[in-house]
Every structure is written in C-alpha cells, then in structure tokens.
Amino acid sequence: MAAGTQAATYAPRRTALDALLVAEARAQGARLRERFAVTGLLVADGQVTGVRGTGPDGPAALRARVVVGADGRNSTVARLVKSPVVEDRGVLARSLYGYWSGVAERGVRVVFRGRRGISLWPTNDGLTVVSLVFPPEEAPGPGRSALAEFYVSALREVPEVERALAGADLVSQPQAAAVRNARRQAYGPGWVLAGDAGHHKDPVSAQGISDAFADAEVLADALDAALSGSVGLDEALAGYAAARDAQRLDTFNYTCEQAELRPFGAEFLDDLAQTAADEQAVAAFVNTFVGCDAPSDASWLGESH
Ligand SMILES: Cc1cc2nc3c(=O)[nH]c(=O)nc-3n(C[C@H](O)[C@H](O)[C@H](O)COP(=O)(O)OP(=O)(O)OC[C@H]3O[C@@H](n4cnc5c(N)ncnc54)[C@H](O)[C@@H]3O)c2cc1C
C-alpha cells in the first residue's frame, strides 16, 4: 500500500487469497503448473538460465531469461543460487494461532499483556483467527495437546480476550510458527528473489503479504522494462533491489523491535493515552501499525510490548 493512503486491513484465509491470485494470473495469460516442485537450476557460464523440477507429468526442465524465486521463506531458489544473507537477527518471537467460530465481536482487537500479544481478526466463513505471540523462552512442552493447552490458557488469562471468546469454539488445531528475521541479496546473474524468499520477518507486524505484493509490483515493472529492451537486465534488477531495500528496511527494523516483545514503558503509555484522545493521531497510529505509512521513528513501538 502506498504511504499516506487510508488504512484498511484484511485477514483472508490463504485458501481464499491464493485462489483469487491464481485466477487473476491465469486471466492475465500466465501459465500455471500446479504441484510442480522446483528442485534444481539450469546454469550456463555462471548464469541461471532456468529451473528443473518435477510435477504430476514427471520431471521437466524449463528455460527462462530470468528465474524469479518467489518460493517463500524456505526458498529453494535462494538456497540453490547461494544468495548471501545480508542480515539475520534469528528467531525473536514465537506464535500460535487458531480459528474460532461464534465470536460475536467482528472487529479487530489487539491486546498486549506483559511480553505476550494477542490479536483477533475476523476472516472468511464467519471465523476469527486468534493469534498469540510470545517470547521463545516461554516455549510450551512437546506435543499437540501441550501446545493447545498453552494457547487456550494464555488466551483465557486475559479478561477482555476471555470475554470476546465466551461462547466461541476453537475449530482448528492451533498451529505454531517461529520465523527468522532475515534479509538476502535480491538478485544475481539470471535470478531475482521476491517476497519472503528475499526477506522474511516475524508475523507479529502482519506486513509480509503487503510487502510481497509491493515486491511483485516493482519487480514486474523492472522485468517489463528489461524484457521489452528499454533497459538492460542488470540495470533493471539493480533498480528493483535498491527499491526493495529502501522500502523494506524500516519495516524490517520495526518488526524486529516489535518481535522483541519488550514491556511497555511509561512514556509510551502516556503517548498512547494522548493518541487515543485525538482522532487524527489515531488514524496515523493505525496507518503506521498496518504498514500504510513507514514508521518515522522505528523505536516508537520498540518500548511497547
Ligand atoms: C504464522 C504466520 C502468520 C502470518 N500472518 C501474517 C499476516 O497476518 N499478515 C501478513 O501480511 N503476513 C503474515 N505472515 C507472513 C506471510 O505469510 C508471508 O510474508 C507471505 O505469505 C509471503 O508471500 P510469498 O509469496 O513471498 O511466499 P509464500 O506465501 O510462502 O508462497 C511461496 C509459494 O512458493 C511455493 N513453493 C515453495 N517452494 C517451492 C518449490 N521448491 N517449487 C515450487 N513452488 C514452491 C509454496 O508452495 C508457496 O505457494 C504470516 C506468516 C506466518 C508464518
């Protein structure tokens, strides 16, 4: 989303979002090979020239002028091209999330208590996804039932969450996540990385999907310019990499600060009380929180939770 635009947040299920993206890509002329796993690269004279992989029709080798690794945070393309990791802050927080039915309140609610954060986001099919973020050292015991017990009791300990979930049912096994905060070099000879493949961060700031879309938009323009011959490929990819790094660095730092889950400071709580009393300040706060505006001072939420 462009800086300065009005905040709007959505929490679609991946099943719904991915289906929309696939339908739109096909409508625009893209050819999709489903259940096709990239397992290797074609390389000539140090330049990536395509991929090898396997799918329902067996193994295949596909040639390309540029291979775009948009294959997520455990990117096979990034690993195979040995894209250098330029920064790795490790795992700073852990998350558990589950889907609930029958939550009466359909608004978004975010609650911080000590070093834990809880968010309730309405999603598709009348469900609400409820996430719990907590420091890595608070790891629940092994096994699915210990995980579920830790998750439910952490939610029930917070009175306003307990009230919001009164009469609601947990309809999924809680899922766990522990995401490294790491950035990779964006491009090299014949390859380029987009979305989580090139930079991934803790879900606490809920910015990864917007960032992946922003990468895709800038990269599509750069590739269009290069493939239509108006600029050289190297120049186009360098431009994309510079834009990506400029746009993402503040959000990366801000996410890492959030993921450290430091307790609120008195000064921040005072600022928050003043913000709550001013409608424009509330809009600016929400815009920054959801990524419509880059944080002007990455430390503003650093003392917060
Ligand atoms: C628990 C959790 C909660 C999150 N919550 C939010 C949130 O609320 N809001 C938000 O914005 N972000 C959130 N994120 C982050 C968000 O999911 C990612 O930032 C985003 O999905 C990145 O998009 P992507 O397209 O780069 O990668 P992905 O969405 O990971 O897509 C990668 C695709 O590549 C495919 N793939 C992988 N390997 C191969 C291979 N070898 N060959 C072929 N295909 C391959 C995968 O199947 C997948 O379809 C969350 C992440 C986690 C873990």
Side-chain angles (χ1 to χ4, degrees), residues 14 36-38 70-73 76 97 177 179 195-196 203 206-209 212:
R14 289 300 299 264
F36 183 89
V38 170
D71 50 347
R73 66 183 196 275
T76 300
Y97 62 98
V179 177
D196 272 17
Q207 312 254 333
I209 295 175

